[in-house]
Amino acid sequence: MMERKGAKLETYHYTECGLDNVYLCGGVDVTAGPRGKQIIIRDIDGLHKVIGRILVNEKRDLSGKELRFLRHEMVMSQATLAKLLDVAEQTVHRWEAGKTEVPKPAESLIRLLFNEHLGDNENIKSALKRIAALEDAIDQKRLTLVDGRGGWQREPKKAA
């Protein structure tokens, strides 16, 4: 528990983020609340960004819990991530539960998405928002190609 004892500062095991290996030294206040001790973490958004950056920039494989942490930070559901990666939603669930390993291509894309999520690249952010909009439906539009004078091309959209 994080408490000041004279000049000594103890670490706080921060399991609330969903990861088992995060310990905080400083930035945590312990106060008395209506139900006992209350933990307040200062700049929790900044803390989560740092945790995410560390996870995506390390050279080791991501664990299921780490994948779930990154997905949550991107405000993305399992269904959306599954659609983005062209896998079944149950597959993402198994990765996060640690039942199967995350394939390297999927892991690489997740790392890239998280880095872009933190950045100021508005094109990527816009694309991520469109991906998130896939939550309830998959676009089933028909793709019709026409062999025209200049070769194959998309059929022009008809006026409504």
Side-chain angles (χ1 to χ4, degrees):
M1 186 62 62
M2 176 73 120
E3 295 184 60
R4 290 194 183 276
K5 293 182 179 177
K8 186 179 177 187
L9 196 60
E10 294 182 20
T11 57
Y12 176 70
H13 189 189
Y14 181 45
T15 57
E16 294 88 345
C17 67
L19 303 172
D20 298 326
N21 60 341
V22 178
Y23 294 83
L24 307 177
C25 186
V28 178
D29 294 318
V30 180
T31 62
R35 296 183 186 145
K37 286 186 179 180
Q38 184 176 5
I39 306 298
I40 300 170
I41 298 173
R42 294 187 294 261
D43 189 19
I44 198 162
D45 291 335
L47 172 63
H48 283 208
K49 285 179 184 177
V50 169
I51 293 169
R53 278 193 180 107
I54 291 168
L55 293 177
V56 299
N57 291 317
E58 285 186 346
K59 299 292 184 201
R60 61 177 184 73
D61 295 342
L62 290 173
S63 71
K65 288 182 178 184
E66 291 167 339
L67 171 65
R68 183 176 51 237
F69 176 87
L70 295 172
R71 180 180 59 75
H72 276 260
E73 288 303 304
M74 291 187 288
V75 192
M76 189 180 294
S77 69
Q78 286 182 341
T80 298
L81 183 58
K83 289 174 188 174
L84 176 62
L85 297 174
D86 197 26
V87 297
E89 186 176 346
Q90 187 64 30
T91 300
V92 174
H93 174 76
R94 283 193 300 268
W95 293 343
E96 291 183 358
K99 293 179 181 176
T100 58
E101 289 186 14
V102 183
K104 293 292 183 201
E107 186 176 304
S108 295
L109 181 57
I110 291 161
R111 290 174 191 267
L112 174 68
L113 287 171
F114 188 82
N115 273 328
E116 290 300 332
H117 170 75
L118 293 179
D120 293 325
N121 188 332
E122 290 303 317
N123 291 332
I124 296 294
K125 283 186 179 180
S126 169
L128 287 174
K129 286 180 182 176
R130 287 194 307 273
I131 290 166
L134 294 174
E135 209 52 56
D136 295 322
I138 298 173
D139 187 359
Q140 301 280 336
K141 292 183 181 175
R142 183 175 168 168
L143 177 63
T144 304
L145 303 171
V146 177
D147 183 13
R149 286 187 224 170
W152 286 103
Q153 54 191 336
R154 187 176 210 154
E155 179 181 52
K157 292 185 179 181
K158 297 176 184 173

